[in-house]
């Protein structure tokens, strides 16, 4: 790939990883629609590292408090709001991990068609809009229970189907459970950390086992840098604007994208 393709794909990954519009769909589409060559496993690892670095950077204080409280609960301090949030992240992560191990081959073989992406883009876009419209939006993040976390985690597992959007469906589930937009988005972003880390480690193992030459270092560096910048800016702007704009712009975008994909595929 030339530098332009690398930068575009890195920015797409960084932006769409955290917006409710599906990163996997947008990374698949350039090759499907524009005939671009596959970016390769090494580049996938690089953009995941960039996205992971961005979300950790933005939520570094929250992460530090949660980690410290989670370990402190086993001492005299006992449980706290932050330690319970740590358990919630763990519980919500498990369904996606299990589902990933069970259906990975199906997703790779059958789930990456334009029709599948178009369908999930439309269906879960409508569901996101309904959830945002009907939600009571009264619960702060501190009210996250293990039951609610498990339900959000089960929803997150569905995002293995390209076009669903991991961030979109977890925010949808949280809104349906009555959480505020900010709480829904923040919990979704916290959930992204273990999953992006797991995906990056899994891809790194695949890369080592492939016993092939790694992509040029400048390609990986570009992937890390541009996905980090795009993801950091995206998270900051999204959280700042979310309460004002709601989910409607993303719902409209998904509907337009889904219809366009259907027209293209047929």
């Amino acid at each position: 790939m030339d530098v332009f393709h690398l930068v575009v794909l890195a920015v797409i990954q960084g932006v769409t990883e955290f917006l409710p519009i599906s990163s996997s769909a947008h990374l698949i589409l350039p090759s499907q629609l524009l005939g671009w060559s596959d970016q390769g496993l090494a580049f996938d690892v690089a953009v995941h590292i960039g996205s992971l670095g961005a979300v950790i950077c933005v939520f570094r204080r929250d992460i530090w408090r949660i980690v410290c409280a989670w370990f402190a609960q086993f001492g005299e301090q006992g449980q706290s709001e932050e330690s319970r949030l740590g358990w919630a992240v763990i519980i919500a992560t498990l369904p996606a991990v299990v589902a990933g191990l069970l259906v990975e081959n199906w997703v790779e073989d059958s789930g990456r068609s334009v029709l599948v992406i178009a369908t999930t883009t439309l269906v879960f876009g409508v569901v996101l809009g309904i959830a945002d419209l009907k939600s009571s939006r009264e619960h702060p993040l501190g009210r996250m229970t293990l039951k609610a976390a498990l339900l959000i985690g089960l929803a997150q597992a569905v995002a293995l189907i390209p076009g669903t959007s991991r961030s979109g469906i977890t925010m949808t589930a949280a809104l349906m459970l009555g959480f505020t937009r900010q709480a829904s988005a923040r919990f979704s972003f916290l959930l992204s950390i273990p999953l992006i880390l797991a995906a990056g480690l899994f891809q790194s193992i695949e890369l080592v086992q492939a016993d092939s030459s790694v992509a040029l270092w400048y390609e990986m560096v570009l992937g890390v840098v541009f996905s980090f910048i795009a993801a950091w800016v995206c998270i900051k702007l999204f959280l700042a604007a979310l309460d004002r704009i709601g989910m409607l712009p993303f719902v409209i975008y998904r509907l337009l994208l889904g219809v366009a994909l259907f027209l293209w595929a047929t």
Side-chain angles (χ1 to χ4, degrees):
M1 294 188 295
D2 59 33
V3 173
F4 174 74
H5 290 180
L6 290 172
V7 172
V8 169
L9 290 174
V11 171
I12 288 175
Q13 163 66 26
V15 171
T16 60
E17 181 69 44
F18 301 106
L19 293 182
I21 56 176
S22 177
S23 63
S24 59
H26 286 77
L27 287 173
I28 291 169
L29 291 176
S31 61
Q32 294 277 353
L33 300 181
L34 303 176
W36 289 7
S37 59
D38 184 81
Q39 60 265 29
L41 189 57
F43 187 74
D44 283 343
V45 172
V47 294
H48 275 95
I49 291 172
S51 299
L52 178 64
V55 71
I56 290 176
C57 181
V58 173
F59 289 96
R60 61 191 181 278
R61 294 186 180 87
D62 302 75
I63 295 168
W64 178 251
R65 286 196 297 268
I66 291 169
V67 171
C68 289
W70 192 86
F71 283 105
Q73 72 180 313
F74 300 108
E76 296 181 358
Q77 177 176 319
Q79 281 202 335
S80 62
E81 184 178 296
E82 286 81 9
S83 68
R84 287 191 291 271
L85 187 55
W87 280 115
V89 171
I90 294 171
I91 295 298
T93 300
L94 295 178
V97 173
V98 174
L101 295 174
L102 293 176
V103 303
E104 177 194 359
N105 291 334
W106 177 86
V107 172
E108 291 296 328
D109 296 339
S110 307
R112 293 178 175 267
S113 73
V114 175
L115 284 176
V116 169
I117 294 172
T119 301
T120 52
T121 297
L122 281 172
V123 170
F124 291 108
V126 171
V127 175
L128 173 62
I130 293 173
D132 191 45
L133 183 65
K134 298 295 185 179
S135 175
S136 62
R137 300 199 296 271
E138 59 184 359
H139 301 321
L141 188 55
R143 293 282 299 276
M144 181 65 63
T145 64
L146 296 185
K147 179 181 177 182
L150 179 59
L151 292 173
I152 295 171
L154 290 171
Q156 180 171 240
V158 179
L160 290 166
I161 305 173
T164 302
S165 173
R166 188 210 61 81
S167 58
I169 199 165
T170 51
M171 291 181 202
T172 297
L175 286 168
M176 286 181 170
L177 291 170
F179 288 91
T180 66
R181 288 171 177 157
Q182 286 289 329
S184 301
R186 288 181 174 274
F187 191 64
S188 175
F189 292 152
L190 289 172
L191 282 185
S192 72
I193 295 172
L195 283 185
I196 296 175
L197 180 60
L201 289 174
F202 182 74
Q203 289 174 331
S204 298
I205 293 171
E206 282 189 330
L207 189 63
V208 172
Q209 292 176 340
D211 193 27
S212 59
S213 59
V214 178
L216 295 175
W217 281 108
Y218 86 87
E219 294 184 353
M220 297 191 69
V221 170
L222 282 176
V224 171
V225 170
F226 280 94
S227 63
F228 175 90
I229 294 172
W232 187 86
V233 172
C234 172
I235 295 170
K236 285 286 191 178
L237 292 179
F238 181 76
L239 290 175
L242 181 57
D243 286 332
R244 294 196 305 273
I245 66 175
M247 297 295 180
L248 183 59
F250 307 104
V251 173
I252 294 173
Y253 174 80
R254 291 184 68 128
L255 295 180
L256 293 175
L257 177 61
V259 170
L261 290 174
F262 267 119
L263 293 175
W264 184 86
T266 54

